[in-house]
Amino acid sequence: MNIGLSARNRRAWIVSFSAVVLSVGAAHRAVAQHPAMPGMRMGDTTGMLEPLGVSMERAGSGTTWIPDAVTLPARHFMAGDWDVMLHGFAFGQYDKQGGSRGESQTGSLNWMMLMASHALFGGRVQPRTMLSLDPWTVTPRGYPLLLQTGETYHGEPLHDRQHPHDFWMELGATYERAVTKQFGFELYAAPSGEPALGPVAFMHRPSAMDNPTAPLGHHWQDATHVSFGVLTAGAFGHAWKLEGSFFNGREPDDNRWNFDPIKLDSYAGRFTLNPNPHWSLSAAYGYLKSPEESDPQQSLHRITASAMFGTALGAGGEWSTSFVYGANKMSSRTGLSNSVLLESEAILDRANTVFSRVELVQKIAEELVLDGPALQVALDRKFNVGAATLGYIREIGSFSGATMGFGGSGTLNVVPGALTNVYGSRTPLGGLVFLRLRPTFKRGSA
């Protein structure tokens, strides 16, 4: 087993880590030049208008909300009259997936987001962008991940691999304005962005942000977080939001560097409730027209529900847990294909983080690409597959407002007996070791 870095992977690691380091360092210098009052949240430090008191800190991915009691590690600074937030993660990892379908790979998973706020016409405008070098650092084919399915590479469906994110994960803008003391409206437009469908995308969930890998139920739950063409309108109060979207239902193609053709051929709606600072609940429905390029006549209906809990942990940590349910109904098939997920992350203190994830997904033989001679089954036969992951990260250094941690995770996958010959075991194992770079986590400050 060769775990050495190729010249290409060394360059990929250097570029992805350097991009985050330089960006966080620049933000750190800007914060030093524009110091914030200790203990204040983003809206308090800058005096920016917060419609109905909804802080910029509540934003998850797209137009989703997270609980007010938890926060994402980010750097905040002023650029003229603009209130700027920068955050992102870079993982340099060695990924080993066991069993007959397993592979190994050295690479980097990474993303960086820049969001700015400014008062406009009595409300708040927020242009944003999120970029990823995944297509280069884990290749356009993605990274090994047992039992994962979804999207294609060179016209063939991916299986036991997670596709990379597109370079343009998001490019869009949100406008929010209070109409009365209890009611406001929201508009969101993005050539690449996230419609009002599904929970907070896994990279932005406080319960999963330090876990490098995507959930096995990604294409049942939050895969539409990269959609090429999104228009969303919504109404909100202090603790609730109702949204509707028109968006492009087609999944991104395997050219990960460009913008795909922008269409608005699908629709979705979502209701979110934050009843108190510790909870965020959501439910959504969406219709996706022709999501798969390999099967353009097939459309699907998707329903999702999620519950996120978060609380402070000790003097400087936090604990967050999420439950997510997602189901797909394909136009040519009867019944739902279901998925459930329970995940949790605890930032114990400045040096130690633990995370876990347990999930169960119903996947059909066609999705798992069970069409070889080892197993002859109907393509629409459902199989219940699952995985349990446990991980730990130890911070080993900090600089320029960023922290680097060394960590690892192990996954126990579970397949039905009928798939033993395909995967070599009913419980094939997978694991990662990694270095993780992100902004330093600080509760209640910039």
Side-chain angles (χ1 to χ4, degrees):
M1 180 175 63
N2 179 16
I3 63 173
L5 289 174
S6 67
R8 177 178 179 176
N9 279 325
R10 282 196 298 270
R11 290 194 299 270
W13 280 35
I14 290 169
V15 170
S16 58
F17 271 74
S18 297
V20 176
V21 170
L22 292 173
S23 299
V24 173
H28 180 69
R29 290 190 292 273
V31 171
Q33 295 169 5
H34 301 275
M37 294 178 63
M40 287 190 171
R41 296 175 69 89
M42 184 60 181
D44 300 322
T45 63
T46 65
M48 286 297 298
L49 179 65
E50 294 186 339
L52 304 184
V54 177
S55 169
M56 185 177 178
E57 298 280 354
R58 191 185 285 186
S61 60
T63 58
T64 60
W65 283 352
I66 65 174
D68 292 323
V70 291
T71 189
L72 297 171
R75 302 305 295 169
H76 301 293
F77 59 96
M78 296 299 297
D81 293 332
W82 288 88
D83 195 351
V84 182
M85 179 178 73
L86 171 72
H87 68 124
F89 282 69
F91 296 88
Q93 80 274 357
Y94 173 69
D95 176 3
K96 173 64 176 177
Q97 302 292 306
S100 303
R101 285 192 162 193
E103 297 182 64
S104 61
Q105 182 193 70
T106 302
S108 172
L109 295 166
N110 51 81
W111 60 270
M112 183 176 67
M113 182 177 185
L114 186 69
M115 181 166 66
S117 290
H118 197 282
L120 181 68
F121 303 135
R124 175 175 66 187
V125 63
Q126 290 182 335
R128 61 178 76 180
T129 187
M130 185 158 58
L131 309 174
S132 174
L133 296 177
D134 280 4
W136 182 30
T137 56
V138 292
T139 79
R141 189 169 169 245
Y143 59 92
L145 187 61
L146 288 177
L147 302 175
Q148 186 62 294
T149 58
E151 301 196 14
T152 61
Y153 179 66
H154 287 175
E156 297 295 326
L158 289 169
H159 67 88
D160 301 291
R161 298 188 74 91
Q162 168 62 33
H163 63 79
H165 285 120
D166 279 55
F167 175 73
W168 294 103
M169 293 177 68
E170 184 178 27
L171 181 65
T174 301
Y175 180 72
E176 298 166 301
R177 191 182 190 281
V179 179
T180 70
K181 292 183 178 181
Q182 302 294 329
F183 178 84
F185 70 86
E186 162 198 87
L187 299 173
Y188 172 75
S192 175
E194 178 177 338
L197 176 60
V200 178
F202 68 91
M203 313 87 61
H204 294 270
R205 291 198 294 263
S207 58
M209 61 185 178
D210 284 294
N211 185 344
T213 61
L216 297 183
H218 183 48
H219 286 267
W220 281 249
Q221 300 162 6
D222 55 358
T224 52
H225 75 94
V226 180
S227 298
F228 286 97
V230 180
L231 288 177
T232 298
F236 66 94
H238 296 285
W240 61 270
K241 179 156 60 171
L242 180 64
E243 308 167 273
S245 296
F246 290 104
F247 66 101
N248 186 351
R250 176 62 58 87
E251 293 178 339
D253 60 29
D254 55 17
N255 182 350
R256 301 289 176 173
W257 298 102
N258 66 348
F259 279 88
D260 292 359
I262 295 173
K263 297 182 292 185
L264 299 175
D265 57 9
S266 305
Y267 55 88
R270 179 172 60 207
F271 179 73
T272 304
L273 177 67
N274 282 31
N276 58 51
H278 298 285
W279 287 94
S280 183
L281 314 173
S282 74
Y285 162 79
Y287 169 76
L288 285 72
K289 182 178 180 180
S290 185
E292 296 281 358
E293 184 179 6
S294 59
D295 190 4
Q297 301 306 312
Q298 186 88 258
S299 297
L300 69 82
H301 300 265
R302 177 172 295 159
I303 57 174
T304 68
S306 67
M308 286 189 292
F309 170 81
T311 189
L313 195 62
E318 70 177 28
W319 171 43
S320 181
T321 297
S322 296
F323 171 81
V324 179
Y325 168 78
N328 289 333
K329 166 63 174 68
M330 304 301 293
S331 59
S332 64
R333 302 188 184 105
T334 60
L336 293 175
S337 175
N338 300 284
S339 71
V340 291
L341 171 151
L342 181 66
E343 65 187 15
S344 190
E345 175 172 319
I347 300 175
L348 302 174
D349 50 39
R350 292 177 181 236
N352 301 283
T353 298
V354 293
F355 59 86
S356 62
R357 178 185 287 153
V358 179
E359 53 186 327
L360 178 67
V361 189
Q362 291 180 323
K363 300 197 175 190
I364 62 172
E366 183 178 16
E367 292 163 340
L368 292 166
V369 192
L370 302 177
D371 55 0
L375 184 65
Q376 296 294 330
V377 297
L379 292 179
D380 61 352
R381 179 178 171 181
K382 290 181 181 179
F383 294 93
N384 295 324
V385 299
T389 299
L390 182 64
Y392 169 75
I393 301 172
R394 174 74 179 186
E395 304 304 324
I396 59 175
S398 61
F399 47 89
S400 298
T403 182
M404 179 176 288
F406 176 74
S409 64
T411 299
L412 173 69
N413 299 282
V414 180
V415 302
L419 300 185
T420 300
N421 290 338
V422 178
Y423 284 92
S425 167
R426 285 207 62 185
T427 55
L429 302 177
L432 289 85
V433 291
F434 53 83
L435 289 173
R436 186 267 289 120
L437 184 68
R438 63 160 168 76
T440 303
F441 179 81
K442 294 182 180 180
R443 290 199 55 80
S445 62

